[in-house]
Amino acid sequence: TADLHVFCEKDLIHIAITDHGGGLDPAIADNIFQPFITSKTGGSGLGLVITRQIIESHHGTLECLSRPGDGCTFTITLPLTQS
């Protein structure tokens, strides 16, 4: 299961998606936004790279907080208005 938490702070919207799938392998956790890094069999290692590029093209950020043994929280932060 996953939890979704959305909130506004000043001129930003934060979208936090939390799963309980065990977290990231600490050996790759610091590199998950690098191309071709994957822990999935048959994975390309491009999904998070492309996702981050799309979010950054809208002046936002994508961050990940891993809780080994529990899950991860990915937080997307975007401006409420385009400058």
Side-chain angles (χ1 to χ4, degrees):
T1 64
D3 301 315
L4 178 67
H5 182 73
V6 179
F7 63 99
C8 293
E9 177 184 46
K10 297 183 183 179
D11 59 347
L12 300 172
I13 186 166
H14 303 275
I15 305 161
I17 303 111
T18 301
D19 71 31
H20 302 283
L24 296 170
D25 177 346
I28 67 163
D30 290 337
N31 298 310
I32 62 168
F33 294 109
Q34 299 300 316
F36 311 114
I37 302 295
T38 185
S39 62
K40 294 182 180 180
T41 303
S44 67
L46 295 175
L48 287 173
V49 175
I50 293 168
T51 301
R52 188 180 230 184
Q53 287 176 345
I54 292 167
I55 292 167
E56 288 177 347
S57 75
H58 292 281
H59 308 287
T61 60
L62 173 62
E63 298 175 342
C64 177
L65 172 62
S66 178
R67 298 174 316 283
D70 182 27
C72 295
T73 299
F74 284 86
T75 303
I76 300 166
T77 301
L78 293 165
L80 288 172
T81 59
Q82 216 37 264
S83 52

